[in-house]
PDB file of all heavy atoms in Angstrom:
ATOM      1  N   PHE A  40     -12.277  17.908  -6.430  1.00  0.00           N
ATOM      2  CA  PHE A  40     -10.857  17.729  -6.750  1.00  0.00           C
ATOM      3  C   PHE A  40     -10.599  17.911  -8.241  1.00  0.00           C
ATOM      4  O   PHE A  40      -9.510  18.262  -8.656  1.00  0.00           O
ATOM      5  CB  PHE A  40     -10.409  16.289  -6.411  1.00  0.00           C
ATOM      6  CG  PHE A  40     -10.133  16.040  -4.955  1.00  0.00           C
ATOM      7  CD1 PHE A  40     -10.646  14.901  -4.332  1.00  0.00           C
ATOM      8  CD2 PHE A  40      -9.355  16.906  -4.217  1.00  0.00           C
ATOM      9  CE1 PHE A  40     -10.373  14.638  -3.005  1.00  0.00           C
ATOM     10  CE2 PHE A  40      -9.075  16.656  -2.877  1.00  0.00           C
ATOM     11  CZ  PHE A  40      -9.587  15.516  -2.270  1.00  0.00           C
ATOM     12  N   TYR A  41     -11.617  17.621  -9.071  1.00  0.00           N
ATOM     13  CA  TYR A  41     -11.360  17.396 -10.498  1.00  0.00           C
ATOM     14  C   TYR A  41     -11.568  18.624 -11.373  1.00  0.00           C
ATOM     15  O   TYR A  41     -12.348  18.630 -12.305  1.00  0.00           O
ATOM     16  CB  TYR A  41     -12.202  16.210 -10.993  1.00  0.00           C
ATOM     17  CG  TYR A  41     -11.877  14.977 -10.160  1.00  0.00           C
ATOM     18  CD1 TYR A  41     -12.618  14.673  -9.017  1.00  0.00           C
ATOM     19  CD2 TYR A  41     -10.791  14.175 -10.486  1.00  0.00           C
ATOM     20  CE1 TYR A  41     -12.292  13.574  -8.226  1.00  0.00           C
ATOM     21  CE2 TYR A  41     -10.459  13.077  -9.701  1.00  0.00           C
ATOM     22  CZ  TYR A  41     -11.218  12.782  -8.579  1.00  0.00           C
ATOM     23  OH  TYR A  41     -10.878  11.708  -7.800  1.00  0.00           O
ATOM     24  N   PHE A  49      -4.714  13.587 -10.892  1.00  0.00           N
ATOM     25  CA  PHE A  49      -5.284  12.250 -10.689  1.00  0.00           C
ATOM     26  C   PHE A  49      -4.737  11.261 -11.719  1.00  0.00           C
ATOM     27  O   PHE A  49      -4.388  10.131 -11.378  1.00  0.00           O
ATOM     28  CB  PHE A  49      -6.816  12.256 -10.701  1.00  0.00           C
ATOM     29  CG  PHE A  49      -7.356  10.864 -10.534  1.00  0.00           C
ATOM     30  CD1 PHE A  49      -7.173  10.169  -9.353  1.00  0.00           C
ATOM     31  CD2 PHE A  49      -7.969  10.211 -11.595  1.00  0.00           C
ATOM     32  CE1 PHE A  49      -7.595   8.853  -9.205  1.00  0.00           C
ATOM     33  CE2 PHE A  49      -8.412   8.899 -11.458  1.00  0.00           C
ATOM     34  CZ  PHE A  49      -8.226   8.225 -10.259  1.00  0.00           C
ATOM     35  N   ILE A  52      -1.539  10.156 -10.498  1.00  0.00           N
ATOM     36  CA  ILE A  52      -1.699   9.208  -9.377  1.00  0.00           C
ATOM     37  C   ILE A  52      -1.867   7.786  -9.914  1.00  0.00           C
ATOM     38  O   ILE A  52      -1.262   6.845  -9.409  1.00  0.00           O
ATOM     39  CB  ILE A  52      -2.908   9.596  -8.492  1.00  0.00           C
ATOM     40  CG1 ILE A  52      -2.592  10.845  -7.673  1.00  0.00           C
ATOM     41  CG2 ILE A  52      -3.324   8.447  -7.570  1.00  0.00           C
ATOM     42  CD1 ILE A  52      -3.771  11.396  -6.875  1.00  0.00           C
ATOM     43  N   TYR A  58       0.143   3.223  -6.263  1.00  0.00           N
ATOM     44  CA  TYR A  58      -1.311   3.286  -6.475  1.00  0.00           C
ATOM     45  C   TYR A  58      -1.736   2.139  -7.413  1.00  0.00           C
ATOM     46  O   TYR A  58      -1.660   2.231  -8.634  1.00  0.00           O
ATOM     47  CB  TYR A  58      -1.710   4.656  -7.041  1.00  0.00           C
ATOM     48  CG  TYR A  58      -3.213   4.894  -6.978  1.00  0.00           C
ATOM     49  CD1 TYR A  58      -3.838   5.258  -5.788  1.00  0.00           C
ATOM     50  CD2 TYR A  58      -4.010   4.725  -8.113  1.00  0.00           C
ATOM     51  CE1 TYR A  58      -5.204   5.450  -5.717  1.00  0.00           C
ATOM     52  CE2 TYR A  58      -5.385   4.916  -8.056  1.00  0.00           C
ATOM     53  CZ  TYR A  58      -5.973   5.285  -6.851  1.00  0.00           C
ATOM     54  OH  TYR A  58      -7.337   5.468  -6.792  1.00  0.00           O
ATOM     55  N   PRO A  60      -4.922   0.560  -7.743  1.00  0.00           N
ATOM     56  CA  PRO A  60      -6.281   0.265  -8.231  1.00  0.00           C
ATOM     57  C   PRO A  60      -6.463   0.343  -9.745  1.00  0.00           C
ATOM     58  O   PRO A  60      -7.071  -0.547 -10.347  1.00  0.00           O
ATOM     59  CB  PRO A  60      -7.153   1.311  -7.519  1.00  0.00           C
ATOM     60  CG  PRO A  60      -6.389   1.692  -6.296  1.00  0.00           C
ATOM     61  CD  PRO A  60      -4.949   1.636  -6.710  1.00  0.00           C
ATOM     62  N   GLY A 164     -13.522   2.391 -11.652  1.00  0.00           N
ATOM     63  CA  GLY A 164     -12.651   3.332 -10.966  1.00  0.00           C
ATOM     64  C   GLY A 164     -12.811   3.371  -9.464  1.00  0.00           C
ATOM     65  O   GLY A 164     -12.193   4.182  -8.796  1.00  0.00           O
ATOM     66  N   SER A 165     -13.699   2.531  -8.926  1.00  0.00           N
ATOM     67  CA  SER A 165     -13.922   2.557  -7.488  1.00  0.00           C
ATOM     68  C   SER A 165     -14.452   3.905  -7.016  1.00  0.00           C
ATOM     69  O   SER A 165     -14.295   4.269  -5.854  1.00  0.00           O
ATOM     70  CB  SER A 165     -12.611   2.226  -6.743  1.00  0.00           C
ATOM     71  OG  SER A 165     -12.910   1.751  -5.468  1.00  0.00           O
ATOM     72  N   THR A 166     -15.058   4.636  -7.945  1.00  0.00           N
ATOM     73  CA  THR A 166     -15.664   5.918  -7.575  1.00  0.00           C
ATOM     74  C   THR A 166     -16.769   5.695  -6.545  1.00  0.00           C
ATOM     75  O   THR A 166     -17.019   6.554  -5.698  1.00  0.00           O
ATOM     76  CB  THR A 166     -16.238   6.616  -8.826  1.00  0.00           C
ATOM     77  OG1 THR A 166     -15.223   6.633  -9.828  1.00  0.00           O
ATOM     78  CG2 THR A 166     -16.668   8.033  -8.536  1.00  0.00           C
ATOM     79  N   GLY A 168     -16.587   4.072  -4.033  1.00  0.00           N
ATOM     80  CA  GLY A 168     -15.952   4.165  -2.718  1.00  0.00           C
ATOM     81  C   GLY A 168     -15.879   5.576  -2.161  1.00  0.00           C
ATOM     82  O   GLY A 168     -15.648   5.760  -0.972  1.00  0.00           O
ATOM     83  N   ASN A 169     -16.035   6.578  -3.013  1.00  0.00           N
ATOM     84  CA  ASN A 169     -16.020   7.960  -2.520  1.00  0.00           C
ATOM     85  C   ASN A 169     -17.360   8.389  -1.939  1.00  0.00           C
ATOM     86  O   ASN A 169     -17.463   9.446  -1.322  1.00  0.00           O
ATOM     87  CB  ASN A 169     -15.601   8.944  -3.623  1.00  0.00           C
ATOM     88  CG  ASN A 169     -14.121   8.843  -3.988  1.00  0.00           C
ATOM     89  OD1 ASN A 169     -13.737   9.136  -5.109  1.00  0.00           O
ATOM     90  ND2 ASN A 169     -13.283   8.425  -3.066  1.00  0.00           N
ATOM     91  N   ALA A 208      -0.579   3.601  -0.813  1.00  0.00           N
ATOM     92  CA  ALA A 208      -1.253   4.035  -2.045  1.00  0.00           C
ATOM     93  C   ALA A 208      -1.737   5.491  -1.960  1.00  0.00           C
ATOM     94  O   ALA A 208      -1.875   6.161  -2.986  1.00  0.00           O
ATOM     95  CB  ALA A 208      -2.426   3.108  -2.348  1.00  0.00           C
ATOM     96  N   TYR A 209      -2.000   5.960  -0.726  1.00  0.00           N
ATOM     97  CA  TYR A 209      -2.514   7.324  -0.561  1.00  0.00           C
ATOM     98  C   TYR A 209      -1.479   8.264   0.060  1.00  0.00           C
ATOM     99  O   TYR A 209      -1.791   9.407   0.395  1.00  0.00           O
ATOM    100  CB  TYR A 209      -3.817   7.293   0.260  1.00  0.00           C
ATOM    101  CG  TYR A 209      -4.938   6.627  -0.500  1.00  0.00           C
ATOM    102  CD1 TYR A 209      -5.052   5.233  -0.545  1.00  0.00           C
ATOM    103  CD2 TYR A 209      -5.866   7.375  -1.235  1.00  0.00           C
ATOM    104  CE1 TYR A 209      -6.046   4.607  -1.269  1.00  0.00           C
ATOM    105  CE2 TYR A 209      -6.874   6.751  -1.959  1.00  0.00           C
ATOM    106  CZ  TYR A 209      -6.955   5.375  -1.979  1.00  0.00           C
ATOM    107  OH  TYR A 209      -7.944   4.761  -2.704  1.00  0.00           O
ATOM    108  N   THR A 216      -0.139  12.662  -4.520  1.00  0.00           N
ATOM    109  CA  THR A 216      -1.437  12.648  -3.832  1.00  0.00           C
ATOM    110  C   THR A 216      -1.560  13.865  -2.912  1.00  0.00           C
ATOM    111  O   THR A 216      -2.635  14.467  -2.803  1.00  0.00           O
ATOM    112  CB  THR A 216      -1.620  11.339  -3.034  1.00  0.00           C
ATOM    113  OG1 THR A 216      -1.363  10.235  -3.908  1.00  0.00           O
ATOM    114  CG2 THR A 216      -3.031  11.227  -2.487  1.00  0.00           C
ATOM    115  N   PHE A 219      -2.461  16.709  -5.118  1.00  0.00           N
ATOM    116  CA  PHE A 219      -3.859  16.519  -5.537  1.00  0.00           C
ATOM    117  C   PHE A 219      -4.801  17.015  -4.426  1.00  0.00           C
ATOM    118  O   PHE A 219      -5.763  17.755  -4.692  1.00  0.00           O
ATOM    119  CB  PHE A 219      -4.059  15.026  -5.800  1.00  0.00           C
ATOM    120  CG  PHE A 219      -5.460  14.576  -6.094  1.00  0.00           C
ATOM    121  CD1 PHE A 219      -6.074  14.874  -7.304  1.00  0.00           C
ATOM    122  CD2 PHE A 219      -6.165  13.809  -5.168  1.00  0.00           C
ATOM    123  CE1 PHE A 219      -7.357  14.430  -7.588  1.00  0.00           C
ATOM    124  CE2 PHE A 219      -7.452  13.355  -5.447  1.00  0.00           C
ATOM    125  CZ  PHE A 219      -8.043  13.667  -6.654  1.00  0.00           C
ATOM    126  N   MET A 255      -8.763  11.086   3.695  1.00  0.00           N
ATOM    127  CA  MET A 255      -7.797  12.143   3.374  1.00  0.00           C
ATOM    128  C   MET A 255      -8.257  13.412   4.075  1.00  0.00           C
ATOM    129  O   MET A 255      -9.456  13.729   4.105  1.00  0.00           O
ATOM    130  CB  MET A 255      -7.717  12.404   1.867  1.00  0.00           C
ATOM    131  CG  MET A 255      -7.057  11.268   1.090  1.00  0.00           C
ATOM    132  SD  MET A 255      -6.118  11.828  -0.353  1.00  0.00           S
ATOM    133  CE  MET A 255      -7.305  12.836  -1.212  1.00  0.00           C
ATOM    134  N   GLU A 283     -11.778  13.558   1.735  1.00  0.00           N
ATOM    135  CA  GLU A 283     -12.215  12.375   0.983  1.00  0.00           C
ATOM    136  C   GLU A 283     -12.285  11.147   1.878  1.00  0.00           C
ATOM    137  O   GLU A 283     -11.467  10.981   2.770  1.00  0.00           O
ATOM    138  CB  GLU A 283     -11.226  12.082  -0.167  1.00  0.00           C
ATOM    139  CG  GLU A 283     -11.660  10.928  -1.074  1.00  0.00           C
ATOM    140  CD  GLU A 283     -10.670  10.646  -2.199  1.00  0.00           C
ATOM    141  OE1 GLU A 283      -9.539  10.244  -1.907  1.00  0.00           O
ATOM    142  OE2 GLU A 283     -11.034  10.832  -3.367  1.00  0.00           O
ATOM    143  N   ASN A 284     -13.271  10.311   1.626  1.00  0.00           N
ATOM    144  CA  ASN A 284     -13.274   8.932   2.110  1.00  0.00           C
ATOM    145  C   ASN A 284     -13.207   8.040   0.893  1.00  0.00           C
ATOM    146  O   ASN A 284     -13.856   8.317  -0.121  1.00  0.00           O
ATOM    147  CB  ASN A 284     -14.562   8.605   2.868  1.00  0.00           C
ATOM    148  CG  ASN A 284     -14.569   9.225   4.250  1.00  0.00           C
ATOM    149  OD1 ASN A 284     -13.552   9.242   4.935  1.00  0.00           O
ATOM    150  ND2 ASN A 284     -15.721   9.725   4.656  1.00  0.00           N
ATOM    151  N   SER A 285     -12.400   6.997   0.990  1.00  0.00           N
ATOM    152  CA  SER A 285     -12.349   6.021  -0.093  1.00  0.00           C
ATOM    153  C   SER A 285     -12.664   4.671   0.554  1.00  0.00           C
ATOM    154  O   SER A 285     -11.781   4.017   1.107  1.00  0.00           O
ATOM    155  CB  SER A 285     -10.957   6.047  -0.729  1.00  0.00           C
ATOM    156  OG  SER A 285     -10.930   5.213  -1.861  1.00  0.00           O
ATOM    157  N   LYS A 287     -13.529   0.856   1.221  1.00  0.00           N
ATOM    158  CA  LYS A 287     -13.082  -0.421   0.682  1.00  0.00           C
ATOM    159  C   LYS A 287     -14.152  -1.456   1.025  1.00  0.00           C
ATOM    160  O   LYS A 287     -14.673  -1.467   2.146  1.00  0.00           O
ATOM    161  CB  LYS A 287     -11.724  -0.811   1.294  1.00  0.00           C
ATOM    162  CG  LYS A 287     -10.656   0.296   1.181  1.00  0.00           C
ATOM    163  CD  LYS A 287     -10.445   0.791  -0.253  1.00  0.00           C
ATOM    164  CE  LYS A 287      -9.595   2.040  -0.334  1.00  0.00           C
ATOM    165  NZ  LYS A 287      -9.555   2.637  -1.689  1.00  0.00           N
TER     166      LYS A 287
HETATM  167  C1  AVJ B   1     -11.395   8.519  -7.605  1.00  0.00           C
HETATM  168  C2  AVJ B   1     -11.986   6.739  -6.192  1.00  0.00           C
HETATM  169  C3  AVJ B   1     -10.345   6.422  -7.808  1.00  0.00           C
HETATM  170  O1  AVJ B   1     -10.459   6.968  -3.848  1.00  0.00           O
HETATM  171  O2  AVJ B   1      -8.714   6.035  -4.740  1.00  0.00           O
HETATM  172  C4  AVJ B   1      -6.780   8.733  -5.411  1.00  0.00           C
HETATM  173  C5  AVJ B   1      -9.322   9.103  -5.821  1.00  0.00           C
HETATM  174  N1  AVJ B   1      -7.849   9.899  -3.974  1.00  0.00           N
HETATM  175  N2  AVJ B   1      -5.923   9.110  -4.459  1.00  0.00           N
HETATM  176  C6  AVJ B   1      -9.622   6.857  -4.756  1.00  0.00           C
HETATM  177  C7  AVJ B   1      -8.013   9.229  -5.102  1.00  0.00           C
HETATM  178  C8  AVJ B   1      -6.563   9.833  -3.593  1.00  0.00           C
HETATM  179  C9  AVJ B   1      -9.734   7.725  -5.992  1.00  0.00           C
HETATM  180  N3  AVJ B   1     -10.881   7.399  -6.866  1.00  0.00           N
END
Side-chain angles (χ1 to χ4, degrees):
F40 281 134
Y41 303 92
F49 178 66
I52 288 174
Y58 193 78
S165 203
T166 310
N169 289 152
Y209 292 81
T216 308
F219 173 72
M255 290 213 308
E283 185 180 65
N284 285 320
S285 186
K287 308 306 169 189

